[in-house]
Amino acid sequence: MKITGFLLFTSLTKFHDVNGFAPMSSGRPMENTMLRSTEESKTVAPEMSLSLPFMERPSTLTGAYAGDVGFDPVGFSKTEPELKNYREAEIKHSRLAMLAAAGWPISEILDKKIAGIFNLSPLVDGSDRVPSVLNGGLGQVSPIYWAAVIALASGVEIIGLKNVNDEGYTPGDYKFDPLGLYPSDEAGQMSMQLAEIKHGRLAMIAITAFAVQEAVSKLGVVDETPFFFRPITYWGTILHDYANSGYISN
């Protein structure tokens, strides 16, 4: 199975918190001596990592962040500030990777058409591969685009540096929600944060696979796995091409 096809059907496992309850005291009449906790229950982090059950859970990975399943076998996050910095970086890379994972195949489909409308040279090469470090072609991209990217990235970074030391700051939370999709309740917020980090981690793997696959196969990901990117009316042509190229034998 092609790398891209495998990734598009891959999903990450959702882990649930483990509840721990305060022990009951005994030895005297309940109505006189039993101590009641101010909280009915509280979340207790497991001693062993959920992602690697044969290893102990790192002390900094308490499950406070969405998607935290105790995975840090190398021990990068030794302190709380380090953990916050790594989560901030992960969120930024995740969001960029999700944009790239969508923009990569879209550009391979539309780049030549858009370039033709404006009488410009397309950026994709003869095999419909987008410019990348492995494919080459980055020198064809306009300096104006790179300047805009640097300016936008700098603005986001400045906002992050300004907010990172605020009390109660959640890494990656820039209060940007123009459509009002972010839930107001804590459970809903955690669920959306979990969905974002799962999709982001998968996108980072996918975009790496896109680059490697195109460098090895010398074909664009759209042409390599057309069933995922072409309309169903085009599938007859795809099967015909596969049959003639040896993918399907009589």
Side-chain angles (χ1 to χ4, degrees):
M1 181 180 290
K2 300 297 181 184
I3 299 175
T4 309
F6 174 78
L7 289 168
L8 290 173
F9 283 103
T10 303
S11 60
L12 302 178
T13 305
K14 182 177 181 181
F15 293 94
H16 297 279
D17 292 332
V18 179
N19 288 331
F21 298 89
M24 294 179 60
S25 59
S26 59
R28 294 186 180 182
M30 183 180 300
E31 62 272 18
N32 295 327
T33 62
M34 187 177 67
L35 299 177
R36 297 182 179 273
S37 173
T38 57
E39 298 178 353
E40 293 182 359
S41 64
K42 62 180 180 179
T43 302
V44 178
E47 291 300 324
M48 304 303 291
S49 169
L50 289 174
S51 58
L52 300 172
F54 52 88
M55 296 185 65
E56 290 187 3
R57 173 187 57 80
S59 59
T60 54
L61 302 183
T62 61
Y65 293 134
D68 176 7
V69 289
F71 184 81
D72 186 16
V74 183
F76 286 121
S77 304
K78 296 180 176 62
T79 64
E80 186 65 29
E82 287 181 342
L83 176 62
K84 181 176 287 189
N85 288 336
Y86 278 120
R87 171 47 68 99
E88 184 83 19
E90 183 182 29
I91 288 290
K92 290 177 181 177
H93 283 80
S94 294
R95 290 168 178 169
L96 184 60
M98 286 187 282
L99 290 173
W104 191 300
I106 290 174
S107 64
E108 291 186 350
I109 295 172
L110 300 179
D111 180 70
K112 289 183 177 179
K113 297 177 181 178
I114 295 175
I117 293 173
F118 295 98
N119 295 319
L120 300 173
S121 298
L123 292 178
V124 296
D125 62 14
S127 299
D128 291 335
R129 300 183 306 164
V130 299
S132 72
V133 174
L134 298 180
N135 291 341
L138 291 175
Q140 302 179 58
V141 181
S142 171
I144 298 176
Y145 169 81
W146 294 120
V149 168
I150 293 174
L152 179 61
S154 300
V156 173
E157 193 66 23
I158 290 172
I159 295 174
L161 292 174
K162 180 181 178 181
N163 296 335
V164 69
N165 294 321
D166 292 347
E167 185 177 353
Y169 171 70
T170 300
D173 183 8
Y174 298 132
K175 308 301 181 184
F176 181 78
D177 185 24
L179 300 179
L181 300 177
Y182 196 56
S184 57
D185 61 291
E186 185 175 351
Q189 292 175 359
M190 183 63 72
S191 178
M192 184 166 285
Q193 292 173 21
L194 180 61
E196 180 183 35
I197 199 65
K198 282 185 175 183
H199 284 83
R201 289 168 178 171
L202 184 58
M204 287 188 282
I205 297 173
I207 202 66
T208 303
F210 286 177
V212 173
Q213 180 173 317
E214 289 197 351
V216 172
S217 69
K218 306 302 180 184
L219 289 174
V221 293
V222 172
D223 294 331
E224 187 78 3
T225 53
F227 286 102
F228 296 115
F229 305 106
R230 300 293 186 184
I232 193 171
T233 54
Y234 189 73
W235 286 10
T237 303
I238 296 171
L239 292 173
H240 181 269
D241 293 342
Y242 275 9
N244 291 336
S245 62
Y247 275 93
I248 302 174
S249 59
N250 294 329

